[in-house]
Amino acid sequence: MKLPVPLLATGLMLALAACNAPDTEQARRDAEAAAKSAADATRDAAAQAADATRAAAAQSQQALDNAAAATSQAAQEASVAARQAAADASEATADAAQKVADEAHDAAQHAREKADEAKH
């Protein structure tokens, strides 16, 4: 689980870096919320794993088996949350890029119209 978290953080940082136009503030907030959600899920998963490990130390082999299952479930939940957060960040970045592309298209169209007017 240590490998996906840095990768997710890097992806989220790239998503945040891509959101630097004033009209992409919502996309930036979405990416920040996704990052916070992933961090919360990871923190919760780590707490669950630690609790399960402490309980297993005081119990029989059955308790150890239960702790392993709880740790696996917590890691799976954190992985799902991290994937969702990354998807949310990617969607926010895509929305921001689309807004920029739309504005560039509008500006080019306006420039074409002005050029056509200048010719006549």
Side-chain angles (χ1 to χ4, degrees):
M1 188 169 103
K2 289 186 179 193
L3 182 61
V5 174
L7 291 176
L8 174 63
T10 301
L12 292 174
M13 290 301 293
L14 289 174
L16 288 173
C19 299
N20 55 8
D23 62 331
T24 62
E25 186 60 32
Q26 182 61 42
R28 187 183 344 262
R29 285 193 299 266
D30 290 348
E32 288 173 348
K36 183 184 181 312
S37 175
D40 290 345
T42 302
R43 192 172 23 261
D44 291 345
Q48 287 177 355
D51 290 344
T53 302
R54 281 191 291 276
Q59 299 297 321
S60 66
Q61 183 60 42
Q62 181 60 42
L64 291 173
D65 292 343
N66 290 342
T71 301
S72 176
Q73 180 64 30
Q76 183 178 4
E77 290 171 6
S79 176
V80 168
R83 279 194 301 271
Q84 183 59 48
D88 290 347
S90 293
E91 184 178 338
T93 300
D95 288 347
Q98 184 61 50
K99 286 179 184 177
V100 171
D102 289 346
E103 288 178 11
H105 178 268
D106 292 346
Q109 182 65 31
H110 184 69
R112 270 189 234 115
E113 289 170 0
K114 289 292 184 183
D116 287 345
E117 288 174 12
K119 286 181 187 178
H120 295 88

